[in-house]
Amino acid sequence: MLDIKLIRENPQEIERRLRTRDESISLGPLLKLDEERRKLISQVEQLKAQRNKATERIAQLKREKKESEAQNLIAEMGHIADQIKSLDSTLAQIEQEIQDFLARLPNLPHESVPISPNKGDKKILREFGQKPTFSFPFKNHVELGEQLGLLDLPRAAKIAGSRFPLYRGKGALLEMALISFMFRYQTEKNGYTPIFPPFLGNPESFFAAGQLPKFADQVYFCPEDKLYLNPTAEVLLANLHRDEILDGAQLPLKYCAYTACFRREAGTYGEEEKGLIRMHQFNKVELFKFTKPEESYAELESLVEDAEDILKELNVHYRVALLPTCDLAQQSAKTIDLEVWIPSQNRYYEVSSISNCEDFQARRGNIRFRREKGSKPEYVHTLNGSGLATSRLFVAILENNQQPDGSVLIPKPLQEYVGTDRLEPLH
């Protein structure tokens, strides 16, 4: 959430920056509400000052035995009390409208983010490895999953509907291998504290993380319990220190969590996004940091490198892309994607979005730190990134490592988990 003081001090510049993300944004209504709020506060303060002065006068009149004058003044103060109550009610309504307006505004983009209304205008920062070449007719991951006995999407659809996965046999082992390898790598080699959080969160958690109110239609909700199904562990990890004041000497705090993720993915998607490309349910290892403001962009680069480590270890060809303003999540000030090559799609797909949210989530979740004992609390910066999402990584491993005989080679770090170095066709 943006600071209303920041908007008030430089409304034209803030609106200009916000409109690089969404041209329809106008701060005029917000500024009008803020001006009305401040006028009401001034009126209420004046009336309360008048009431306090009258209270002293009433006490004096009673001491002087001037009961009639005291009663007249008491009656007059009754009218003032009614005015204060009415103004307080109006003020509370306006303050709620201001908070609702602020809650729907996106974060300010960092100055390094490309400005564009076109999602294709991402900036490619670097690549790792080469696209594979095939001397034989290659198969897509759905075909490979069926022939190798790794996937059973028809039974998944029977159980839950379309866009849900069902891994079986070596496919289940490979999925678990990815989760276990990535989780252990980030906690043991990159120094993240392991977390196994709840898979559901309350409305306060989803608001603090930036999912509510704007993206309420994209998450699964259990109305009787007032709990939301986790769309990404970012939501859960962002709330680990909600309403806390952290010790600045302990920052940055680095957390790693595994969760299943659930997304409605409302919209229409083409036939090319069948199989595991776009799912309602998928698995993900998430990385999250709480940092000092002046260190957050160095920590962003470090977080990107930590996520890249996984792809390098698995020897998967990928590229690193800086997203333009139009493609940033609401809470993000800057996002860098890791994209793997999917041969059957002839394109790259994102397997990790790594973002610096600056103090956007910290303000919503009241997460602060003290630089030293007794110093004024400041808002932390929060950063998040997939380390990684498994479904498209699963696809990339199958398609990029397929062999002429229909088998698929397993990356070395996963072999001990799967129990083999090669997946063979069933027949």
Side-chain angles (χ1 to χ4, degrees):
M1 181 176 291
L2 299 182
D3 186 354
I4 185 64
K5 293 180 182 178
L6 179 68
I7 296 173
R8 186 187 300 143
E9 291 168 359
N10 200 349
Q12 293 182 339
E13 174 62 14
I14 299 302
E15 182 173 278
R16 182 193 68 78
R17 293 175 64 186
L18 288 174
R19 285 173 65 86
T20 65
R21 302 191 56 164
D22 181 351
E23 291 184 353
S24 68
I25 291 177
S26 171
L27 297 179
L30 174 64
L31 294 169
K32 184 176 180 180
L33 286 169
D34 183 53
E35 183 180 358
E36 187 174 352
R37 170 183 172 275
R38 285 186 288 164
K39 286 181 180 179
L40 284 171
I41 290 174
S42 178
Q43 291 176 31
V44 169
E45 288 177 346
Q46 289 175 16
L47 287 172
K48 286 181 178 179
Q50 185 177 345
R51 182 181 61 186
N52 292 339
K53 186 175 181 180
T55 299
E56 294 176 0
R57 176 60 178 160
I58 289 169
Q60 180 182 354
L61 290 171
K62 287 187 175 183
R63 286 194 299 270
E64 295 173 355
K65 307 300 183 182
K66 298 179 179 180
E67 287 295 332
S68 177
E69 290 184 45
Q71 290 302 318
N72 290 336
L73 194 51
I74 289 172
E76 185 179 336
M77 287 305 99
H79 294 302
I80 290 179
D82 290 340
Q83 291 181 58
I84 292 174
K85 183 177 180 180
S86 176
L87 289 173
D88 279 342
S89 177
T90 303
L91 182 59
Q93 181 180 345
I94 289 176
E95 287 180 336
Q96 185 59 54
E97 290 179 29
I98 290 173
Q99 291 304 307
D100 290 345
F101 196 109
L102 289 171
R104 292 183 178 276
L105 287 177
N107 204 350
L108 293 172
H110 188 261
E111 59 185 10
S112 64
V113 175
I115 297 174
S116 175
N118 183 357
K119 291 183 179 182
D121 287 339
K122 62 185 73 173
K123 181 180 179 181
I124 306 304
L125 303 178
R126 57 184 175 273
E127 293 187 9
F128 173 82
Q130 302 292 326
K131 296 176 185 176
T133 57
F134 300 98
S135 59
F136 56 91
F138 62 85
K139 301 179 176 66
N140 64 44
H141 74 281
V142 176
E143 296 169 317
L144 290 167
E146 292 174 353
Q147 294 174 14
L148 300 172
L150 309 177
L151 300 171
D152 194 337
L153 299 179
R155 285 192 172 92
K158 179 172 66 175
I159 293 169
S162 62
R163 299 195 183 279
F164 284 91
L166 192 155
Y167 302 91
R168 61 180 302 163
K170 295 291 185 182
L173 292 179
L174 178 57
E175 178 72 1
M176 290 301 298
L178 286 169
I179 296 168
S180 299
F181 166 67
M182 295 188 296
F183 194 76
R184 289 188 61 184
Y185 190 97
Q186 298 297 354
T187 56
E188 293 177 5
K189 295 193 176 184
N190 286 337
Y192 288 79
T193 299
I195 300 290
F196 203 150
F199 284 6
L200 296 96
N202 55 35
E204 293 80 7
S205 295
F206 273 62
F207 175 81
Q211 293 289 314
L212 296 179
K214 189 171 183 178
F215 302 107
D217 61 340
Q218 291 294 314
V219 291
Y220 290 101
F221 181 54
C222 307
E224 290 186 6
D225 306 291
K226 294 183 179 179
L227 291 172
Y228 292 87
L229 274 171
N230 160 57
T232 168
E234 171 200 345
V235 173
L236 312 173
L237 294 175
N239 285 274
L240 277 180
H241 298 292
R242 191 174 77 222
D243 295 322
E244 295 180 23
I245 299 177
L246 305 173
D247 180 356
Q250 296 181 350
L251 298 179
L253 295 176
K254 299 166 55 176
Y255 295 108
C256 173
Y258 157 72
T259 63
C261 303
F262 305 88
R263 298 183 185 178
R264 295 180 62 86
E265 291 288 5
T268 302
Y269 302 101
E271 178 67 17
E272 71 278 4
E273 294 194 331
K274 64 182 179 180
L276 303 178
I277 297 295
R278 189 177 296 276
M279 308 296 291
H280 291 309
Q281 175 187 324
F282 59 95
N283 295 304
K284 184 149 73 82
V285 171
E286 183 77 6
L287 307 177
F288 200 94
K289 293 182 180 182
F290 296 88
T291 79
K292 296 176 182 177
E294 68 273 15
E295 297 174 353
S296 66
Y297 279 95
E299 290 294 339
L300 176 65
E301 295 303 319
S302 173
L303 204 162
V304 172
E305 292 174 2
D306 292 342
E308 283 186 84
D309 284 348
I310 299 298
L311 294 173
K312 290 177 179 177
E313 288 288 326
L314 298 177
N315 197 30
V316 175
H317 169 57
Y318 70 92
R319 70 182 187 182
V320 182
L322 174 61
L323 299 190
T325 50
C326 68
D327 206 16
L328 297 176
Q330 184 196 30
Q331 65 272 24
S332 175
K334 181 176 181 177
T335 296
I336 297 172
D337 276 5
L338 305 185
E339 302 176 336
V340 296
W341 176 252
I342 305 297
S344 66
Q345 306 288 316
N346 194 36
R347 59 164 288 188
Y348 291 92
Y349 271 98
E350 171 255 315
V351 292
S352 178
S353 276
I354 303 155
S355 300
N356 187 348
C357 299
E358 298 187 355
D359 64 1
F360 189 88
Q361 292 174 324
R363 287 183 179 278
R364 295 167 79 106
N366 191 31
I367 310 166
R368 297 173 293 169
F369 76 101
R370 281 194 174 96
R371 294 184 181 273
E372 56 188 28
K373 187 176 181 180
S375 64
K376 183 180 179 181
E378 303 172 48
Y379 288 109
V380 299
H381 280 194
T382 60
L383 299 89
N384 67 83
S386 306
L388 309 158
T390 62
S391 53
R392 292 173 181 172
L393 185 54
F394 189 104
V395 171
I397 288 172
L398 290 189
E399 294 197 8
N400 286 289
N401 293 339
Q402 60 183 295
Q403 303 299 302
D405 62 359
S407 65
V408 171
L409 300 180
I410 298 296
K412 188 173 182 178
L414 307 179
Q415 292 174 8
E416 64 173 304
Y417 297 97
V418 181
T420 183
D421 62 356
R422 182 186 296 261
L423 300 173
E424 303 281 358
L426 295 179
H427 304 292

